[in-house]
Amino acid sequence: DAKTTQPPSMDCAEGRAANLPCNHSTISGNEYVYWYRQIHSQGPQYIIHGLKNNETNEMASLIITEDRKSSTLILPHATLRDTAVYYCIASGSGNEKLTFGTGTRLTIIP
Amino acid sequence: EAGVVQSPRYKIIEKKQPVAFWCNPISGHNTLYWYLQNLGQGPELLIRYENEEAVDDSQLPKDRFSAERLKGVDSTLKIQPAELGDSAVYLCASSFGQGVKDTQYFGPGTRLTVL
């Protein structure tokens, strides 16, 4: 799996959009970008994944740059329940080993 | 739909004692994973099962750790004997086994403390 780099922490005001960046400059052509989050004392939770097109689901949007070297996870209207550690993972398959880094600790401020 | 069930949620033992963790995956999920999560770190894969076959156990410390998934449903992870450094959260996850489109569903984990 390609290495990913994320900022260790970010704050976002409640109700605003939270934009979480991820660098994956060595990602290979067949590797997808997956995002998971982990709320305190819980297991990680899948959010979204994509290859090269932008993706949106009920939880978030994923924007991948054209050269695929970086991506941004967008939570459009952050709530206090979005406070968690967010992991960006590059992997060739969703059901193989996920290589988690240390992630970004997102704190939503009331 | 019930999620991934793990037990116990917490376990405190003394070093050199054995310990076992149990996981019941989501019904119909063929792939089962055990991850280890140290404090402040992301989870790390210990072992992955496709049905009852361990297809990736390269990160499992086989001198003291063992796992089984009899009948391809629930699974047990065992440590014998436990060491101080084994204190961590042990996470179980499961997925359908659909490749790229797959997503892994995680249980709440078992927090192990070795004294």
Side-chain angles (χ1 to χ4, degrees), chain A residues 4 7 10 14 17 36-37 60 68 70 72 81 85-86 93 102:
Chain A
T4 61
M10 293 180 61
E14 186 178 17
Y36 280 73
R37 74 179 182 183
R68 303 210 324 122
S70 65
T72 301
R81 288 176 294 182
V85 177
Y86 287 76
S93 174
T102 52

Side-chain angles (χ1 to χ4, degrees), chain A residues 30 32 34 36 38 40-46 49 87 92-102 105, chain B residues 9 31 33 35 37 40-43 45 48 50 56 91 95 97-104 106-108:
Chain A
N30 65 343
Y32 285 67
Y34 293 85
Y36 280 73
Q38 187 170 24
H40 184 61
S41 295
Q42 297 183 21
Q45 175 192 24
Y46 167 82
H49 76 280
Y87 296 100
S93 174
N95 78 322
E96 294 181 355
K97 177 181 70 173
L98 294 178
T99 302
F100 291 82
T102 52
R105 181 173 299 277
Chain B
R9 288 295 316 277
T31 308
Y33 317 76
Y35 286 84
Q37 186 170 25
Q41 303 295 314
L45 181 72
R48 176 168 67 98
E50 295 286 348
D56 183 356
L91 293 159
S95 70
Q98 295 175 329
V100 167
K101 296 182 180 180
D102 225 3
T103 60
Q104 297 184 24
F106 285 80

Side-chain angles (χ1 to χ4, degrees), chain A residues 48-59:
Chain A
I48 198 168
H49 76 280
L51 183 62
K52 47 186 174 182
N53 296 323
N54 298 336
E55 302 288 345
T56 295
N57 63 20
E58 64 279 4
M59 291 183 68

